[in-house]
Amino acid sequence: MGTDSMAVVDPQLRVRGIDGLRVADTSILPRVPSGNLNAPAIMVGERASDFIKGNKVSIEYRMAGE
């Protein structure tokens, strides 16, 4: 994931070069977490659902207790 030419998905989880396809699993993380993958997987899924639904909720607002 990223903005450089080597990234497979952009920051909104859209696959580069294929319209209408997003990847919403932990394979998009730039670094492998050293612990349990459950929380990062849930976070990626939540962000993907926000992108798909078009929600513009910032992470700071969400962390403050929606």
Side-chain angles (χ1 to χ4, degrees), residues 18-31:
I18 302 176
D19 292 335
L21 180 63
R22 294 182 193 254
V23 174
D25 64 19
T26 56
S27 68
I28 60 108
L29 297 176
R31 294 187 202 120

Side-chain angles (χ1 to χ4, degrees), residues 37-56:
L37 289 177
N38 188 39
I42 291 171
M43 183 234 13
V44 170
E46 289 287 331
R47 292 299 291 155
S49 70
D50 286 342
F51 293 142
I52 292 167
K53 292 188 299 186
N55 292 349
K56 303 290 185 206

